[in-house]
Amino acid sequence: MKKKTIILSALLMSSITLVDAQKTKNKPSDSITKKVKDVEEIVLVGYGKQKKGTVSGSIASVDKKILQDRPTTSLTASIQGALPGVTIKSSLGDVGSVPALNVRGRSVAGNSPLYIIDGILSSAADFSRLSPADVENISILKDAAAAIYGTRAGYGVILVETKKGGGGKMSIGYNMYNGYQTPTYLPKYVDAVEYMKLKNEAYFNADNSVGHFSQYKQEQIDLTAAGTDPDRYPNTDWYKATYRKMANLLNNEINVSGGDKIRYFASLGYLKQESLSPTKGMDRYSFRANTSSKLSEKFTVNSNISFIKQMINDQGGGINTRELARITPTMALRQSNGWWGSINAGKVDNTFANTNPIRNNIEGGDSKSNDQKFMGALSTSYTPVKGLNIDAQISYSNWNYRLGEFTNTLSPVNNFLTKVPIAATARAVNNYHEKWESDELLNTQVLVGYEKKISSHYFKVLGGASYEDYTRRIIEGRKSNIPKDGLHSLSALSTLDGTLDELKSNTSQYAFQSVFARINYNYQEKYFLEGIIRADASSRFAKENRWGYFPAVMASWRLDKENFIKNLNFINTLKLRGSYGSAGSINTIGYYDSQTYMDSNSTVLGNVIVGSVSPGKLGFSGIGWEKIVTKNIGLDGSLFNNTFTFSVDLYNRLTKGALMNNQLPYETGVIMDSDPVKNQTPPINAGDVVNKGIEITLGYNKNFENGDFYINANFAKNRNEVLSLINSKPLYKDNWITQVGGSIGDFYGYKTAGLLTQEDINNNYPKLYSSSQAGDIKYVDINGDGVVDENDRTVIGNDVPSFTYGLSIGGRYKNFDLNIVGQGVKNVQVYLDKESSQAFFNGAGAKQYVLDNRWTPENPDPNALYHRVLPSGGGTQNIGVASDFWLFDASYFRIKSVTLGYSIPQETISRIGLKKFRIYANLENYFTFRGDKRVKDFDPEMASDRSTYPNLKTISFGINATF
């Protein structure tokens, strides 16, 4: 009986196992899912990899769902909104532009992160141009974990690993998408009739006693409205006429991978992108080849090679966005006989005839740029005994950039009324500018690592050394009065071939030497401790300040492995971690800023090139390392069978001795400029800045019988404060101020309280300008002394978002998949003045929002969106000073990407040798919920500027195939 019972039990268990196996076949069990997640959750750390569960630092990794099959021209834009504390601003949509990225707030200057691609020091442009299909892993070191990279890691480190090939039979992948791009927003200006009426109103407001009200007669307005005489009274939509209605985007990529003892991954890509400018376009070619060769059980050789060539060709002279924003709708684009426009509301207008942005783009010249980047690395890994690894890598990168710009001669525009050429609109002398830049970086590094487990104790030690040699070369020349337009050559120097105005070259070099070490220890995989030390020496500093030392310590505690947590079944993992460490930054230091030097120049005297020297840049031997000390405490966890995940970080990042340009008295004659090439002042360690904040990441993942679903959200709050400045004196630049107790990005000017009323005027409300009347901006008397003057200027806003957030939602049902990515910012302003918001500035037009809700005697609303309209010269009381009246809310939430895909069933495509065939449609930047309700025709991602090239939204269709 007992034997039968045993047999019956065995059969029953077998049945249960078969049932469970069948269920598992359709739906992975929680234990299997957990194991798979443990395998996949690998993050990149300095000079290596770690399981995420063993990491003690604040390291963010990009979920591949965000990158997978999303058609973007920039990898940087692909991760926008995906990571807390990582702010990406894609404010320019023109071809070849690189979005700006910063980690955890902003410092005084030069707060860009460090980019490392396959162990090779890289740039923001290199990262941006990477194909998402080539990327295996992206990790961002945000706290003391970055200390392993020392002097350049103070503002975060972006680590990228590209694909190496999965082994086995060769697999071929093909990705293609075709897209169509249009502006997210274009400025909305009033049409010609509204402009004429509004301009009459402005002159009447300025002085109604001298007949300004009749600048445009009713007859002129009626002719413009009728459209019967477009030669003299046109109604031109300049933005519609200037930009393409739609720009095409085409991308093709093919890759192969596989292998056994020699694993390989190779890809080839081509991207073609049109600009909104009808004369401009970009072609980008990319190639990558990665191999991993296991020569023996102890010896492995790896190679990484990539090459990207980007060509931007503009058959026109470029679009001057400022002139486009200024020209009025009453100006003719072309006359009916084909001549370029010369008539503005019935009169000849020499100024706009000359600055016509479309004429200058079509006939003004041409430009070509050729940008090439090669990166290659050869590395070896040797394991003489178990646990001991010796790795060596030599890498070389070379960037070449060539720019050729030709400015054509221009024939004068003919006066349509008199048929006589307008001499002021001619350009008699052409010129050609050519520039070649090249940089080379050779890097060698050796790593020795040893790991050992003794009972419940685990040790891992890493030591390394690296050396960099960098050379940058620039050759630049200008030539004018060339016999033929479009002749891209500086070779001929005779007077018959033109005049050589400038020819110069420059070579810069630096060397960089580093030693570093890291030790990892854990007990029972429950308590983790990590220590880092790095020493860097740079030739950019004087000998006495050359070395910098950067230590860090990190610790974490796996609470879920404690008995008092194990009994809580809903908790899968729970880890408490903390870190403290320092890193550095030299982003604002030139190669020779510790030395005073002269610039070499050349000029032409009597058709002979003569060398000369001129004052270059003042040196300062006391320049030291900018040190960034970071404290971080975090909590990570997963709950309910790993369906819910979370991560919380609190951080404090102190920049000590922030590097900034020394503001010398103007009497010294030293040029101070934001352009580092023109600037002659040396940087100094002049201030301390702290960024404090909190970051939260939440995730939910659920698998079900026919698919899966996920939702991830992240939030980050940052507060920035300037703790000290040299001499405690504020630094002023344009509309910004940097001062002790303030924040980086503070706008400085007058606070306003709406518009002045007649009651204010009658009650002698203090005015900044004596000419101010009812309907003009009402400035606030901050100090309460009864006078509004420069002493009432204060901080009025900030252009750094203090709150950022992102959201990604997606899933799969049978053969359909849907992915949505959103990103937003809050508590941030943008300063838009002059042509971007102010009516009639410097002869410009007027925006629609001015017409819609302005102050008038019939609408004397003190809270109107716009003051009483005045001509540019008569409205200095409103547009002559910086004030928060011209600050606009740049908060927004934008649906960055919506992708809907369909995969053809495997049983169908396998008959023709396919492993995967997916078609999809994607919308990029199509939906925006904006904070500012006052002006609705600017992109909230744009910078504070008078005019910019528009950001873009894209609709695209593509396929992914694997053979």
Side-chain angles (χ1 to χ4, degrees):
M1 183 69 183
K2 186 176 181 181
K3 186 176 180 180
K4 290 181 179 180
T5 303
I6 293 173
I7 294 172
L8 185 61
S9 298
L11 289 171
L12 182 60
M13 289 300 295
S14 298
S15 300
I16 293 172
T17 301
L18 286 171
V19 172
D20 287 343
Q22 185 62 37
K23 288 181 178 179
T24 302
K25 186 176 180 181
N26 295 326
K27 178 182 176 183
S29 70
D30 292 330
S31 61
I32 293 176
T33 302
K34 185 175 180 180
K35 287 180 180 177
V36 171
K37 287 192 73 174
D38 286 343
V39 171
E40 291 179 347
E41 288 193 18
I42 299 293
V43 297
L44 303 176
V45 296
Y47 305 100
K49 301 179 184 178
Q50 282 183 232
K51 285 186 178 181
K52 194 168 186 179
T54 68
V55 168
S56 298
S58 179
I59 301 178
S61 57
V62 179
D63 192 330
K64 287 185 180 180
K65 296 187 184 80
I66 301 297
L67 300 178
Q68 184 179 351
D69 306 327
R70 180 180 170 189
T72 62
T73 60
S74 165
L75 180 62
T76 312
S78 295
I79 65 173
Q80 190 173 16
L83 300 167
V86 178
T87 304
I88 297 171
K89 193 168 186 177
S90 54
S91 57
L92 296 177
D94 205 1
V95 294
S97 61
V98 177
L101 183 154
N102 70 69
V103 179
R104 290 185 167 177
R106 191 188 297 178
S107 184
V108 176
N111 56 335
S112 300
L114 176 69
Y115 294 87
I116 305 290
I117 301 174
D118 289 329
I120 305 174
L121 184 67
S122 307
S123 67
D126 297 331
F127 177 78
S128 181
R129 294 171 188 173
L130 268 176
S131 168
D134 290 353
V135 173
E136 180 66 27
N137 203 334
I138 300 176
S139 295
I140 301 181
L141 314 183
K142 299 191 288 185
D143 67 344
I148 193 69
Y149 287 104
T151 58
R152 291 168 291 197
Y155 299 110
V157 180
I158 315 293
L159 298 174
V160 182
E161 178 190 27
T162 58
K163 294 179 179 178
K164 301 294 188 293
K169 187 179 178 181
M170 177 187 288
S171 176
I172 301 174
Y174 174 67
N175 303 307
M176 184 279 294
Y177 64 82
N178 190 20
Y180 304 92
Q181 298 185 305
T182 55
T184 53
Y185 295 92
L186 280 179
K188 294 181 180 179
Y189 286 87
V190 298
D191 66 19
V193 173
E194 293 165 336
Y195 169 81
M196 297 167 85
K197 293 178 179 178
L198 203 60
K199 196 68 175 288
N200 279 349
E201 181 182 322
Y203 274 99
F204 179 79
N205 288 338
D207 188 353
N208 61 7
S209 64
V210 293
H212 283 308
F213 181 75
S214 59
Q215 183 188 10
Y216 293 111
K217 306 295 185 183
Q218 188 59 47
E219 178 187 3
Q220 296 174 297
I221 297 175
D222 292 341
L223 284 169
T224 302
T228 54
D229 189 2
D231 277 317
R232 293 192 305 154
Y233 297 100
N235 189 352
T236 308
D237 186 335
W238 285 96
Y239 278 87
K240 183 178 180 180
T242 300
Y243 288 127
R244 280 190 176 112
K245 185 177 181 180
M246 186 176 290
N248 188 255
L249 175 67
L250 176 65
N251 185 74
N252 282 277
E253 296 175 337
I254 188 169
N255 61 70
V256 295
S257 63
D260 186 10
K261 289 188 177 180
I262 301 178
R263 295 189 175 189
Y264 57 87
F265 175 85
S267 66
L268 184 66
Y270 171 65
L271 171 69
K272 184 176 182 64
Q273 183 182 10
E274 292 179 336
S275 168
L276 288 180
S277 169
T279 61
K280 189 176 182 181
M282 180 187 77
D283 295 273
R284 182 191 296 165
Y285 301 87
S286 60
F287 170 75
R288 178 173 299 280
N290 298 337
T291 65
S292 178
S293 306
K294 192 170 185 179
L295 303 183
S296 69
E297 291 299 320
K298 295 184 178 182
F299 195 67
T300 304
V301 177
N302 303 305
S303 68
N304 301 87
I305 296 173
S306 70
F307 177 76
I308 295 178
K309 180 174 183 177
Q310 179 173 283
M311 299 175 293
I312 298 177
N313 187 5
D314 193 342
Q315 298 295 330
I319 294 174
N320 187 321
T321 59
R322 191 165 294 178
E323 296 297 347
L324 176 60
R326 177 178 295 132
I327 198 164
T328 64
T330 52
M331 180 70 194
L333 168 57
R334 281 188 184 271
Q335 308 298 159
S336 57
N337 60 3
W339 291 352
W340 287 111
S342 60
I343 306 302
N344 186 350
K347 299 179 181 179
V348 174
D349 190 324
N350 294 354
T351 299
F352 282 155
N354 186 46
T355 61
N356 183 333
I358 299 179
R359 172 194 177 225
N360 286 326
N361 184 44
I362 293 176
E363 297 183 352
D366 63 87
S367 67
K368 298 177 182 179
S369 69
N370 192 320
D371 188 327
Q372 301 178 26
K373 183 64 178 279
F374 170 84
M375 294 194 298
L378 181 66
S379 62
T380 61
S381 180
Y382 178 54
T383 308
V385 295
K386 184 179 179 180
L388 177 64
N389 286 292
I390 302 173
D391 299 304
Q393 176 176 286
I394 181 169
S395 64
Y396 172 80
S397 65
N398 176 242
W399 174 69
N400 275 283
Y401 174 76
R402 181 184 177 275
L403 172 67
E405 299 175 302
F406 202 102
T407 303
N408 289 345
T409 56
L410 288 175
S411 301
V413 175
N414 292 319
N415 183 325
F416 181 74
L417 300 180
T418 66
K419 316 304 180 187
V420 176
I422 305 171
T425 63
R427 185 191 294 152
V429 179
N430 57 21
N431 69 80
Y432 175 60
H433 170 223
E434 183 167 320
K435 186 176 185 179
W436 173 77
E437 295 182 61
S438 174
D439 67 25
E440 296 178 289
L441 176 64
L442 180 66
N443 176 272
T444 58
Q445 65 183 38
V446 177
L447 308 173
V448 179
Y450 181 72
E451 60 180 333
K452 182 71 174 178
K453 187 173 184 180
I454 304 172
S455 184
S456 297
H457 303 272
Y458 171 82
F459 301 87
K460 185 174 183 180
V461 180
L462 174 73
S466 66
Y467 177 80
E468 296 175 21
D469 190 291
Y470 175 88
T471 302
R472 182 180 183 85
R473 297 180 177 89
I474 300 176
I475 299 175
E476 187 172 12
R478 296 178 186 273
K479 190 176 182 180
S480 61
N481 203 23
I482 301 168
K484 183 181 179 181
D485 284 344
L487 185 60
H488 286 232
S489 176
L490 293 173
S491 59
L493 304 181
S494 70
T495 55
L496 294 177
D497 295 313
T499 303
L500 188 65
D501 301 305
E502 180 183 44
L503 182 61
K504 63 181 181 180
S505 66
N506 183 50
T507 299
S508 303
Q509 294 178 301
Y510 76 74
F512 207 87
Q513 182 178 341
S514 307
V515 291
F516 46 88
R518 177 174 61 214
I519 182 170
N520 294 80
Y521 166 77
N522 80 64
Y523 176 67
Q524 295 184 341
E525 294 199 353
K526 186 188 300 184
Y527 311 107
F528 298 85
L529 185 65
E530 182 174 339
I532 294 173
I533 181 67
R534 176 157 176 147
D536 286 328
S538 174
S539 62
R540 299 189 188 194
F541 296 96
K543 289 183 178 180
E544 58 271 23
N545 296 322
R546 187 154 291 172
W547 282 94
Y549 302 92
F550 305 95
V553 62
M554 293 169 282
S556 58
W557 178 17
R558 284 291 297 268
L559 294 165
D560 58 283
K561 296 192 175 184
E562 298 289 357
N563 291 330
F564 63 88
I565 294 292
K566 284 182 178 179
N567 296 327
L568 301 176
N569 294 330
F570 68 93
I571 296 179
N572 299 107
T573 62
L574 189 64
K575 181 175 65 174
L576 179 66
R577 50 186 168 76
S579 66
Y580 177 89
S582 68
S585 175
I586 55 174
N587 291 334
T588 55
I589 299 176
Y591 303 141
Y592 309 109
D593 282 350
S594 64
Q595 307 171 40
T596 298
Y597 61 91
M598 304 292 284
D599 280 338
S600 60
N601 300 284
S602 63
T603 187
V604 177
L605 296 176
N607 297 325
V608 177
I609 300 176
V610 179
S612 62
V613 294
S614 62
K617 193 167 189 176
L618 294 180
F620 178 53
S621 61
I623 300 172
W625 296 100
E626 182 173 291
K627 291 190 176 182
I628 296 91
V629 178
T630 302
K631 305 171 188 175
N632 195 100
I633 185 168
L635 183 68
D636 306 323
S638 59
L639 311 173
F640 307 111
N641 292 325
N642 296 305
T643 58
F644 180 74
T645 58
F646 67 90
S647 180
V648 180
D649 279 275
L650 293 169
Y651 66 87
N652 179 304
R653 189 183 72 194
L654 173 63
T655 301
K656 302 174 69 175
L659 288 160
M660 61 187 75
N661 289 324
N662 191 7
Q663 292 196 340
L664 299 175
Y666 287 101
E667 291 79 7
T668 62
V670 177
I671 297 173
M672 291 173 285
D673 197 282
S674 57
D675 183 348
V677 176
K678 299 176 183 177
N679 183 56
Q680 294 180 339
T681 63
I684 57 174
N685 301 98
D688 296 340
V689 180
V690 66
N691 281 273
K692 300 178 182 178
I694 182 172
E695 299 168 350
I696 300 174
T697 302
L698 303 173
Y700 177 79
N701 295 269
K702 183 66 175 178
N703 296 321
F704 50 88
E705 185 175 354
N706 292 310
D708 55 64
F709 171 78
Y710 73 89
I711 179 169
N712 298 310
N714 64 79
F715 311 90
K717 184 79 168 65
N718 179 271
R719 180 176 179 272
N720 175 286
E721 183 180 357
V722 179
L723 301 180
S724 67
L725 288 172
I726 190 169
N727 300 325
S728 298
K729 292 182 178 179
L731 304 175
Y732 302 94
K733 182 182 178 182
D734 300 327
N735 297 321
W736 288 268
I737 184 173
T738 303
Q739 61 181 338
V740 175
S743 299
I744 304 299
D746 278 344
F747 291 110
Y748 187 66
Y750 293 91
K751 283 188 176 294
T752 62
L755 304 176
L756 289 167
T757 64
Q758 190 58 49
E759 183 179 1
D760 291 328
I761 301 298
N762 296 338
N763 294 332
N764 294 318
Y765 182 89
K767 297 186 293 185
L768 181 61
Y769 288 85
S770 59
S771 57
S772 293
Q773 299 180 26
D776 288 334
I777 295 175
K778 183 178 182 180
Y779 300 101
V780 177
D781 178 14
I782 292 292
N783 60 13
D785 62 358
V787 177
V788 176
D789 58 19
E790 62 180 13
N791 296 316
D792 293 300
R793 290 181 298 172
T794 186
V795 172
I796 55 177
N798 192 280
D799 68 353
V800 181
S802 63
F803 184 72
T804 59
Y805 55 102
L807 180 69
S808 58
I809 304 174
R812 176 182 58 85
Y813 180 71
K814 293 185 177 180
N815 295 316
F816 289 92
D817 61 86
L818 176 67
N819 298 282
I820 302 171
V821 179
Q823 177 260 342
V825 302
K826 194 170 178 58
N827 301 331
V828 60
Q829 290 84 35
V830 62
Y831 197 94
L832 303 177
D833 62 348
K834 302 180 173 64
E835 293 90 352
S836 62
S837 64
Q838 296 170 351
F840 313 127
F841 177 83
N842 200 19
K847 280 195 165 185
Q848 185 66 41
Y849 92 102
V850 175
L851 184 72
D852 290 342
N853 193 353
R854 68 195 185 282
W855 186 99
T856 65
E858 295 74 30
N859 178 41
D861 182 2
N863 297 310
L865 299 185
Y866 199 83
H867 54 77
R868 67 181 181 125
V869 289
L870 293 166
S872 181
T876 54
Q877 65 266 39
N878 296 317
I879 65 176
V881 295
S883 74
D884 62 5
F885 195 85
W886 306 113
L887 278 182
F888 299 88
D889 188 356
S891 302
Y892 68 89
F893 177 72
R894 172 165 281 168
I895 305 297
K896 297 298 297 183
S897 175
V898 179
T899 306
L900 176 64
Y902 175 76
S903 298
I904 298 177
Q906 183 67 38
E907 56 268 24
T908 302
I909 61 175
S910 61
R911 301 170 186 170
I912 56 175
L914 281 172
K915 298 177 184 177
K916 173 186 175 182
F917 192 88
R918 174 177 175 268
I919 57 176
Y920 67 88
N922 172 268
L923 296 176
E924 201 79 16
N925 288 342
Y926 251 82
F927 309 102
T928 304
F929 305 91
R930 54 189 305 133
D932 194 272
K933 306 301 180 185
R934 181 177 167 199
V935 179
K936 301 177 182 179
D937 64 345
F938 75 92
D939 193 296
E941 287 193 75
M942 75 179 289
S944 299
D945 204 345
R946 296 165 65 173
S947 60
T948 62
Y949 185 94
N951 206 345
L952 300 177
K953 56 185 178 182
T954 308
I955 180 172
S956 57
F957 306 90
I959 62 172
N960 310 123
T962 304
F963 302 86

